[in-house]
């Protein structure tokens, strides 16, 4: 597909890319924080220690702000299926509409019903029911992610469908659709990456308060939980979930795999390049620093496995921006490796009892929290650009899916409006979040109520 500034499809893609990238800044943190809230409420319920309730109250407010902005920025994307991608909706709406409806009816309402109880209902509900409210919020949050990723997995690896008499898709096997193997691998990888975001945010808050010399008890709690969970989640993102995702791409999207590594000629003992620059016009990777055989092993399980190069596929099925796919993938891998190193360093210091007295590491933890957001965005760029030129891989091309009656000028106009609106919304979010951070968690008092320890 020709991506020029006068091509309407190009602007429709930019429009949706902007809105969904901006939107996903917020759900990834709510999904990443959800089980921290459950853990702290469980610990408060079991031990009666008020410090866990204070942690849950503080982070529930941050969760609520992210949830609210996530809802506001998520609703326009639903409308974009009709306004910007009418061809795609007509072709596949009978299938993707199933899981999008499930996400709204089951997961979103479950999460939104319990989040109010979590933030404002502690005294009325009591310890046990308030803990159950946290479980309901976390379950709804992660169930929402599952339904969305099942939808995306169908676009990556379509299963459970039939072609109707009018040429559109129909759902023929709901079980195969919902249990798409691509969905489970993608879901595990995505959710672990969201937990990395949540962990870095929690650790960064602990580092911030420690460096300021305030909220000592809470900052210690945040540092301990954030660094431990962050190390485990960062490792899980790499293996087994990242490894499984690479094997899934190798099995079902071999052209995407070749683009991710700038591989033009198929070979055994295919390399993973630590660094390099893909030259598409000359069909080679320039200045590579290779890890011999690593791509063959990661994609197919053995070093001798043959990896197909881009030249083995028709050019009209190549990803239409190989350079961006390559760099997005490699930057994501680089950041993931850095996350493991940072969290390993932090846990080593923590186990030695020196984390809170290591200002350099505390500064690193505090300043590192935006990078999981960047890594998640790069991962989704790899996934979505790698699927091109298909909206539904192997079935439906992107240049047939956009709304033909909506011109490039109309799309640019609404894109400018969204950029301005989301800029204002972002400033409001930062102000409200900053205000909560400035206030900090509740301070303990001598008369603080303590829950009885259940027998």
């Amino acid at each position: 597909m020709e991506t020029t500034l006068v091509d309407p499809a190009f602007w429709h893609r930019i429009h949706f890319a902007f809105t969904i990238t901006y939107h996903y800044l917020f759900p990834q943190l709510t999904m990443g924080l959800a089980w921290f809230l459950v853990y702290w409420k469980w610990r408060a319920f079991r031990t009666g220690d008020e410090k866990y309730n204070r942690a849950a109250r503080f982070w529930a407010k941050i969760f609520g702000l992210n949830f609210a902005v996530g809802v506001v920025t998520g609703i326009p994307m639903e409308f974009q299926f009709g306004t910007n991608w009418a061809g795609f909706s007509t072709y596949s709406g009978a299938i993707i509409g199933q899981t999008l409806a499930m996400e709204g009816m089951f997961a979103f309402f479950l999460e939104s019903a319990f989040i109010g109880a979590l933030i404002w209902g502690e005294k009325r509900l009591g310890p046990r029911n308030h803990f159950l409210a946290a479980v309901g919020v976390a379950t709804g949050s992660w169930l929402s992610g599952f339904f969305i990723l099942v939808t995306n997995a169908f676009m990556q690896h379509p299963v459970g469908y039939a072609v109707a008499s009018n040429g559109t898709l129909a759902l023929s096997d709901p079980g195969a659709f919902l249990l798409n193997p691509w969905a489970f691998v993608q879901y595990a990888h995505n959710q672990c990456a969201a937990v990395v975001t949540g962990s870095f945010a929690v650790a960064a808050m602990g580092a911030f308060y420690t460096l300021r010399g305030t909220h000592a008890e809470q900052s210690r709690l945040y540092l301990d939980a954030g660094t431990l969970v962050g190390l485990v989640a960062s490792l899980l993102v790499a293996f087994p979930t990242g490894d499984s995702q690479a094997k899934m791409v190798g099995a079902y999207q071999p052209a995407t795999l070749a683009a991710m590594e700038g591989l033009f000629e198929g070979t055994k003992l295919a390399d993973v390049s630590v660094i390099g620059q893909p030259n598409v016009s000359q069909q080679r990777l320039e200045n590579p620093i290779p890890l011999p055989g690593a791509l063959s092993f990661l994609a197919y399980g053995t070093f001798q496995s043959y990896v197909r190069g881009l030249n083995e596929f028709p050019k009209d099925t190549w990803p239409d921006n190989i350079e961006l796919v390559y760099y997005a993938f490699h930057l994501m891998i680089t950041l993931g490796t850095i996350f493991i190193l940072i969290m390993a360093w932090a846990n080593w210091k923590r186990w030695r009892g020196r984390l809170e007295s290591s200002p350099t590491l505390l500064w690193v933890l505090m300043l590192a929290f935006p990078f999981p957001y960047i890594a998640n965005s790069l991962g989704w760029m790899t996934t979505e650009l790698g699927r091109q030129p298909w909206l539904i891989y192997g079935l439906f091309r992107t240049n047939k899916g956009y709304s033909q009656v909506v011109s490039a000028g109309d799309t640019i106009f609404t894109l400018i409006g969204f950029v301005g609106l989301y800029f204002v919304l972002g400033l409001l979010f930062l102000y409200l979040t900053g205000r909560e951070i400035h206030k900090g968690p509740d301070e303990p008092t001598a008369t603080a109520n303590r829950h009885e320890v259940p027998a």
Side-chain angles (χ1 to χ4, degrees):
M1 180 171 56
E2 183 185 5
T3 54
T4 68
L5 296 181
V6 296
D7 180 11
F10 172 76
W11 289 107
H12 284 292
R13 290 175 63 182
I14 291 293
H15 197 302
F16 194 80
F18 169 76
T19 53
I20 199 167
T21 301
Y22 191 97
H23 164 72
Y24 192 62
L25 296 174
F26 304 99
Q28 68 178 284
L29 184 60
T30 57
M31 291 187 295
L33 286 178
W35 295 105
F36 281 97
L37 297 176
V38 171
Y39 169 73
W40 285 322
K41 289 305 302 180
W42 175 76
R43 291 289 291 163
F45 175 60
R46 295 298 299 173
T47 68
D49 193 332
E50 187 63 17
K51 71 180 180 182
Y52 296 110
N53 272 325
R54 292 170 56 222
R57 288 188 208 111
F58 173 73
W59 283 102
K61 295 173 185 176
I62 304 298
F63 185 104
L65 288 171
N66 276 267
F67 176 79
V69 180
V71 171
V72 171
T73 57
I75 291 174
M77 292 192 304
E78 302 281 350
F79 288 102
Q80 282 185 283
F81 285 114
T83 58
N84 294 71
W85 296 97
F88 171 65
S89 298
T90 300
Y91 181 73
S92 62
I95 293 183
I96 65 167
Q98 305 290 330
T99 39
L100 293 177
M102 290 177 184
E103 190 273 336
M105 291 298 297
F106 303 138
F108 173 74
F109 283 132
L110 176 65
E111 184 180 9
S112 57
F114 280 105
I115 193 169
L118 180 66
I119 296 175
W120 293 292
E122 182 177 0
K123 292 182 180 179
R124 182 178 294 272
L125 291 173
R128 183 188 298 273
N129 289 333
H130 201 238
F131 161 69
L132 293 176
V135 174
V137 168
T139 302
S141 174
W142 278 49
L143 191 61
S144 177
F146 175 74
F147 286 128
I148 295 299
L149 287 171
V150 167
T151 307
N152 185 264
F154 178 80
M155 298 167 68
Q156 307 288 344
H157 175 54
V159 294
Y161 69 91
V163 179
S165 58
N166 62 358
T168 62
L169 297 184
L171 186 62
S172 63
D173 189 341
F177 172 59
L178 290 173
L179 302 178
N180 188 340
W182 189 294
F184 284 95
V185 171
Q186 188 176 27
Y187 181 70
H189 188 56
N190 185 81
Q191 299 308 97
C192 287
V195 174
V196 171
T197 301
S199 300
F200 269 77
V202 170
M205 197 72 72
F208 173 68
Y209 287 139
T210 301
L211 288 167
R212 290 186 64 189
T214 58
H215 309 297
E217 184 184 58
Q218 288 292 294
S219 62
R220 188 178 306 113
L221 190 65
Y222 303 162
L223 283 170
D224 289 348
T227 55
L228 177 59
V229 176
L231 177 60
V232 174
S234 297
L235 289 169
L236 290 175
V237 167
F239 184 87
T241 67
D243 177 70
S244 299
Q245 185 74 59
K247 288 179 169 57
M248 194 68 69
V249 173
Y252 298 110
Q253 294 187 8
T256 302
L257 179 68
M260 287 161 58
E261 282 298 336
L263 183 68
F264 291 92
E265 300 295 335
T267 182
K268 293 182 179 180
L269 285 171
D271 303 335
V272 166
S273 296
V274 177
I275 194 171
Q277 301 87 45
N279 187 327
V280 177
S281 62
Q282 297 185 21
Q283 298 188 6
R284 62 190 177 93
L285 188 65
E286 298 178 342
N287 307 312
I289 301 177
L291 297 175
L295 183 59
S296 293
F297 180 78
L298 290 174
Y300 299 110
T302 69
F303 290 102
Q304 294 296 324
S305 298
Y306 182 84
V307 180
R308 300 168 69 185
L310 283 165
N311 286 330
E312 298 181 39
F313 304 96
K315 281 193 174 182
D316 66 351
T317 64
W318 290 12
D320 51 26
N321 198 325
I322 292 169
E323 297 90 345
L324 193 52
V325 172
Y326 176 89
Y327 289 122
F329 175 68
H330 281 75
L331 285 172
M332 177 192 68
I333 296 296
T334 301
L335 287 174
T337 303
I338 292 172
F339 298 158
I340 293 172
L341 295 176
I342 290 174
M343 286 305 184
W345 181 21
N347 277 279
W348 180 66
K349 287 285 191 179
R350 183 174 63 84
W351 292 329
R352 298 183 65 190
R354 298 181 180 177
L355 177 56
E356 294 168 80
S357 59
S358 302
T360 300
L361 178 54
L362 291 173
W363 274 99
V364 170
L365 288 171
M366 186 179 70
L367 297 176
F369 86 92
F371 290 95
Y373 289 95
I374 297 171
N376 273 280
S377 298
L378 291 169
W380 276 107
M381 285 175 64
T382 304
T383 299
E384 297 304 286
L385 292 171
R387 190 186 67 238
Q388 301 302 321
W390 306 97
L391 271 177
I392 303 177
Y393 196 81
L395 292 179
F396 190 71
R397 287 183 174 266
T398 304
N399 60 4
K400 296 183 180 298
Y402 70 93
S403 301
Q404 303 287 338
V405 298
V406 181
S407 69
D410 291 337
T411 309
I412 294 170
F413 177 77
T414 56
L415 175 59
I416 293 170
F418 270 92
V419 170
L421 178 62
Y422 282 14
F423 177 74
V424 174
L425 188 64
L427 291 178
L428 178 62
F429 169 78
L430 291 175
Y431 167 74
L432 294 174
T433 303
R435 187 177 66 174
E436 294 300 329
I437 293 171
H438 178 72
K439 289 167 57 179
D442 300 334
E443 290 294 342
T445 62
T447 59
N449 293 326
R450 301 179 68 84
H451 304 143
E452 294 294 327
V453 181

